[in-house]
Structure formats: structure tokens, C-alpha cells
Amino acid sequence: MTTIKDVAKAAAVSTATVSAVINDSAYVSPLLRARVQAAIHDLKYEPSQMARNLKKGRSELIALIVADLANPFFARMVWAAEAAVAAWGYSLVVFNSDEKPENERKALARIRALSCDGALVVPVGLPAHYAQRDAEGRGFPTVLFGRVVDDRHSDTVTIDNIAAGSQVTNYLLDLGHTRIGSITGPLHLTTGRGRLDGMLQAMAQRGVAPEPGHVRSGEFREDVAYSVAREMLDRPDRPTALYVANGVMALGVMRALADLSIHCPLDISIASTDTISGIGGLRPRLTRTEHPIIEMTNEALRLLVDRIQRGKDKPPRNVVFQPALVLGESCAPLKRS
Amino acid sequence: MTTIKDVAKAAAVSTATVSAVINDSAYVSPLLRARVQAAIHDLKYEPSQMARNLKKGRSELIALIVADLANPFFARMVWAAEAAVAAWGYSLVVFNSDEKPENERKALARIRALSCDGALVVPVGLPAHYAQRDAEGRGFPTVLFGRVVDDRHSDTVTIDNIAAGSQVTNYLLDLGHTRIGSITGPLHLTTGRGRLDGMLQAMAQRGVAPEPGHVRSGEFREDVAYSVAREMLDRPDRPTALYVANGVMALGVMRALADLSIHCPLDISIASTDTISGIGGLRPRLTRTEHPIIEMTNEALRLLVDRIQRGKDKPPRNVVFQPALVLGESCAPLKRS
DNA sequence: GACACCGAGCTAATCGTTTCGCTGCATTTT
DNA sequence: AAAATGCAGCGAAACGATTAGCTCGGTGTC
């Protein structure tokens, strides 16, 4: 490994001069500059980011903790985050909490140990958990993404889940459905609770309410949604329309429908939120609200980088994005029968 | 920031002793040990990984460069890699070359600057590019994944692409098809070239050859496959069966079929390789060869960690995995007409 | 000609660890 | 009793960069 000292020796200058050349941080005469550059080139010298970081107290690393790396929604987020982070001159360290608070805790510890400059976190824990972490981690630049657990202390970027739920539900109501069911996400997350609340609000506004057995909560997982759907739909009093809380779950529901020989949209209308991209081949295309995940990720990193570079005294900012209803062919007007 | 010196002062011992306690690297009497631990706890001291790394010359970072982070196949690879890397005690830094050699080069430079301990790379460049890089990067622990470009100097983990091509093609031939076409990947990659070769070999063994217009090469992208498929299939002499080089492309083909109102499998049989997971809802399910991507990723990281820890003098190892043919409903016997 | 001033480049301290080699006490060996 | 041994713990030198503060020769002013 060639160090700055080797270069200094080879160019017959001091390390300070070499450093000045590398970083363009002070005027160096053309003569010396040339000598230094030649030496750098000859010795194939590359400055050690590690030493530099130790001195400067930065690591140029940004951490991303996602709740479920197997979920295409978050995979896409990683994609967007990598691009954004690289554009800001950082590198991306990825962690998967796999929806387990314990893993998230470990990841956060690791992130501090690596002295990452900041973290973008899709939180997994209960609110109480965060209040505590927040007290400890005070001052560590963090942006919470997607699921608000605490909007008083941290920057957050979220989607308006209530709007997502009502948009979809209003559409189903407009098609004449009243027996609308839902397979929800975990209700302690705003992504679960909010979407359900939005649905209930929309229904209440039209004076209808879902039947008890038609609202089942689950997890954001394909297999869980599959089982719940099989159970809920394999009976005569099944709903005529179903709002599924996210894209992965919708896939599980579609699979259940195929197994039960229930035709969508003829026999049942299906709509969801945050449908995963890249499944353009799926027919019928889902009617869903889409989340501008790329813009959301970019905005989150903008906030994060701003906090890293401009300091932590600014008050926390909470950015809320609006979902957009996108029509597929998975919904049909209610058949009179 | 509390440092090891603060702890040493608080516990009235030397920094060496604190270090010994932290790392369990030397015997420390129970008395001092207790004092040190108390001080660590009181001061909420966390050792700086950065300083530690500088001293030890390691970073506990493993880099992953994938060719296309938007491709679910590689997204899944990130998922597997994160888990494996964490299990080995490292953290994962993710880069996306987006199929561009230039980006790959930048990522490699960044990786060296960060002094990552090793890199798992899905190579993008031409062989010549690698021969050169290899000469420079001599000694930097690297495992090449998926697309062999150079098996003499580096560890590699790959799939038997020729086998994948023949397996699928033999299946189609067994169904009676002889007018088999293919939309291939880039032919300078073994994942593109090999699969096509496998197909051609299988056909040659039965004495058939594809018609010229029925083999079109492209890129591993959904939209490219879509356009090629639209063009190739929208004519009377279209093939009766089509082998699509990867999963993302197969989605594009299915989309083209839907637009052209060509029914699969009644009008055309479609088969592919390395189909992406997570699209269980897609109907018909694709007949395809599946790659054991998780095992492959684990093996690649095993090789990488071994090389990081055990040294670089070992000869390079090349591990080849076998694809498995998985039947869906996207292929049907040739209709006599 | 003496003075202050300027600025290119150097010296050395510093970031927070790990670790080599040493000290000095207590125990064992002769 | 003197010498040899063992070993807990310490001091200080690294690791490879950045940077504050200093030196010292050249210019401008009176």
C-alpha cells in the first residue's frame, strides 16, 4: 500500500503539499503540483478513504434499513436509493430488518459503529421503541420512511395512507359495490392502520360498513395474504370487492383466486395499494394506488443529506406524498343478481 | 464523542488495558476489568469502528456490484447477499453498474477507496476490460458472479448456461416444436451466448435449426424484449415456440403477446431461463429453468470470505451450478395444422 | 536601507484505535 | 539470599490522512 508519505518522498515535498494537491485545498505552485501528480501516478497512489474519514469524522456512507428486502417494493427502493446516494457522493450500506425490531436494533448499532453519516430507515418497531431509541440516538441524522411512528423528533417521508384507502374504496363504491372486504397490513403500522381507516371512512361516508368477517388483518406477506384470502373467499357470503393492503399481498390473493377458480374481475373485484412494479405481464392488471417511490426515496435522501451537511438544529420536516389511483382491469361494476 | 482515552482516564488505567477489555485480547484482572466496564457503561462509550479499521487495515465491508438493480433477479441477489454478509459479520455496500462498464469502473474505484475487504461482482464489461482490471487489481479479493468473463484469475460462481438452453429447448422439441425462436441476451456475456449455444446444440442434435429471423439478440431488459417480440411475432411465419433468455425479458414478451392477442400457450409456447420470483400470480406460469440464486450467492460469499480471511495465494476456484427445469403452463404440444 | 507584509511550503499535532516492548512486582528456582 | 522467571499493566509508536501554525525568502512602502 502506498501512502501519502511515499508520494511526498518521491516528489520531494511534504505530505501537506501532497494533501493540498489531492484536495485542491491550497495553492500549490505549478512545478510542485506537477511533481506531485507525477509521483501519484507513478506510485499508483490512492488516498485511503479510511484514514481520511477518521480525520474528518465522516464516512461518506449512508445506511438504508428496509423492512423486507424480499419485497419488490423495497427492492425498488434500494434501487432508487443507490442511485440517489451515489449522485450525492456517498455509498449505500444496506440492511434488512425483515420486519423484526431486534434486527433493526442490531442494524442501528452496526450503523453507528461504522459511523455512517446518516440512515434512511423503514421502521419496524412499535412507537414506544422509537421514542426510546430516539432519546439515545439523539442527533444521529435519520429519516424515517413510509411508516410514521413518531413525527415529532425525526424527519419523515410518508404516503397519505388514509387517502390511498379512500381513493380505492370510493372507486369500488362508485362501481356499485357495498360488500367490500379488506385484507389489511399490520395495524400497528400506519401503512396498515391508515389504509384501513381510509377505507372505513370512505364507506362510512356512504353509509355502509364492512361485514365483520370481511376485514381481516395480516402481514405484508404473499403467503399470509394467500391463506387469508383462501379462507375468506371460499364461502358463499364472500365480498364482491376486496381491497388488499399492498402489492405483494395482492399477488397472494390473485394466486388464491386462481386456486379457487374465482374469476377476477367477473366474480370479484380486486384493488390494492402500492402495487409492485415489474409485473407488467400480470393479467388482469391490478387497479391500485401507486406510490411515487422513486420521488419519495429521492426526497428522503435530500432531507437526509441536508441534515448531514447543514446540521441538526433544524426542526424536523415531515413530507407527505399523495397516492395516485391507477386503473387496471381487476375491477368491474357490481353484477345485479 | 467519548473515546478510549476518556474511558482509560475514568477507570484510571491505560488505553491498552481498555482495549484489552474490549477485545478480550489479553488477561486483565477482575478488578480492573470491572472498573473499565463500569466506565464504558457510564460514559456510553462505543469504540470507533473507523479508527479500529484504520489500525487493523480492514473495514468489515463487503461490496456487491450488480449489473441491474432494477431487475428482480438481482434484487433477490441483494436480499440473499445482505443476509449472508451479515451472518459473516460484515456489512453490505451495494452498487449498481446498470450494465455500463463505466459505472462498474467507478464502483470498483470507490470500493478500493472505501477499502472494502472484498467484492462480489456481476461483471458487465468485455473480457478484455477484465484482463486489464485484473492486472491492476491483483490481489483484491473478488468473486465474479453469474457471467464468467475470465476464469483463470478470479473466483467465479456461475450457472451452466449451455445446460439451461438445452434443457428448455429439449423440452420444447419433445413437445413437437421445431420452429423454435429465441430472444437472447447480449451475446458477449456468457449468460447470453451460453443459453443460445445450448439451444442451438439441442436443436442441432435433433437435426433442426432455427430460422434466421427467429433468433434475435437483445438486452436483458423488459422493454427491449417487448419490442423485439412485437416485431418477431406479428407475422404469419412466427415461431411456434420461443425461448426467452431471462425472466425480465419473458415479462416483456408476455406483455407483447397480450397486446398482439396471441394466446399462450395455445398459439405459442413460451419458455425462459432464470425466471424472477415473486410473480406467482402471473398466469400462465412460465416454464423455465430456475437458478438456485440463493445458494449461488451464499457460495459466492463463502468463497469471498474465505479468500479475505485465508489469503490470496490459493488458486482461483470456479463453481458451476446446474439449472433446474420447472414446468409451468406456458408451453403446449405443437398443434398439427 | 529598514520595515512590515505576503504567501508557498514545511513541521508536527491530531483523529481513535491496536499492539509492541518495557517496567516492576511477586513468585519460584538454585 | 541472589538470580531467574512470569505476567499484569503501562507508555508510546504506529495506522494514513488533514490542518493549524510556523518559517523564510521575496516584494512593496516609507
Side-chain angles (χ1 to χ4, degrees), chain B:
Chain B
M1 177 74 95
T2 85
T3 78
I4 200 173
K5 283 186 190 166
D6 303 327
V7 175
K9 201 164 295 177
V13 297
S14 73
T15 61
T17 305
V18 178
S19 177
V21 169
I22 295 169
N23 302 299
D24 230 5
S25 53
Y27 181 85
V28 176
S29 70
L31 176 67
L32 289 198
R33 173 177 298 270
R35 284 221 308 264
V36 168
Q37 274 161 345
I40 288 177
H41 184 260
D42 289 352
L43 301 173
K44 297 196 204 309
Y45 166 70
E46 295 180 69
S48 149
Q49 195 70 24
M50 231 154 48
R52 180 175 276 175
N53 289 341
L54 171 60
K55 188 74 226 254
K56 293 197 146 187
R58 305 179 293 97
S59 66
E60 298 193 338
L61 251 29
I62 283 183
L64 170 64
I65 311 182
V66 295
D68 181 9
L69 203 39
N71 181 335
F73 181 82
F74 291 123
R76 187 142 194 92
M77 184 175 170
V78 172
W79 173 77
E82 192 279 337
V85 156
W88 287 106
Y90 294 83
S91 296
L92 187 72
V93 190
V94 174
F95 297 86
N96 181 15
S97 65
D98 207 19
E99 303 278 8
K100 301 196 185 69
E102 173 61 11
N103 290 339
E104 181 180 284
R105 207 187 48 70
K106 280 188 200 155
L108 284 168
R110 178 85 183 148
I111 286 168
R112 305 202 50 172
L114 288 171
S115 35
C116 293
D117 293 344
L120 176 53
V121 181
V122 179
V124 147
L126 300 170
H129 174 67
Y130 283 90
Q132 184 207 343
R133 183 196 62 74
D134 205 74
E136 300 169 356
R138 191 82 254 110
F140 185 73
T142 306
V143 173
L144 262 31
F145 188 94
R147 313 162 172 188
V148 190
V149 277
D150 181 331
D151 53 352
R152 295 163 312 172
H153 299 323
S154 304
D155 294 329
T156 61
V157 172
T158 52
I159 196 83
D160 185 342
N161 287 293
I162 295 182
S166 356
Q167 279 180 22
V168 168
T169 309
N170 277 322
Y171 176 72
L172 294 173
L173 289 164
D174 289 346
L175 289 176
H177 294 278
T178 52
R179 293 171 59 84
I180 306 177
S182 180
I183 302 183
T184 79
L187 296 183
H188 66 274
L189 299 175
T190 53
T191 39
R193 184 80 243 172
R195 289 170 199 182
L196 174 59
D197 285 350
M199 169 189 171
L200 296 178
Q201 281 177 22
M203 291 182 78
Q205 272 175 13
R206 311 253 188 137
V208 285
E211 298 185 19
H214 289 175
V215 173
R216 296 281 302 274
S217 57
E219 292 178 58
F220 285 137
R221 285 171 44 187
E222 200 267 359
D223 54 344
V224 172
Y226 172 81
S227 341
V228 172
R230 282 212 59 144
E231 203 181 314
M232 185 196 292
L233 302 181
D234 193 18
R235 27 197 303 187
D237 67 340
R238 65 165 184 249
T240 64
L242 188 62
Y243 171 42
V244 187
N246 84 352
V248 180
M249 297 175 81
L251 286 176
V253 170
M254 296 311 264
R255 186 157 64 89
L257 290 180
D259 288 359
L260 293 169
S261 301
I262 300 177
H263 188 275
C264 169
L266 292 187
D267 301 327
I268 191 171
S269 292
I270 303 289
S272 78
T273 281
D274 107 29
T275 296
I276 59 189
S277 56
I279 53 168
L282 183 61
R283 290 293 182 281
R285 280 179 290 229
L286 276 167
T287 290
R288 75 271 180 194
T289 54
E290 286 209 337
H291 293 188
I293 178 143
I294 298 174
E295 290 79 4
M296 288 175 73
T297 306
N298 286 339
E299 175 66 12
L301 285 169
R302 228 180 44 72
L303 290 184
L304 185 55
V305 169
D306 185 68
R307 190 159 292 275
I308 290 170
Q309 293 176 353
R310 294 242 179 10
K312 51 194 60 156
D313 3 326
K314 287 191 181 183
R317 287 151 298 180
N318 305 298
V319 181
V320 178
F321 280 77
Q322 287 303 318
L325 186 65
V326 177
L327 301 185
E329 302 98 20
S330 65
C331 296
L334 180 67
K335 286 182 298 190
R336 306 282 164 123
S337 59

Side-chain angles (χ1 to χ4, degrees), chain A residues 2 4 74 107 113 150 152 157 191 212 224 233 314:
Chain A
T2 85
I4 200 172
F74 292 123
D150 180 331
R152 294 163 311 172
V157 172
T191 38
V224 172
L233 303 181
K314 287 192 181 182

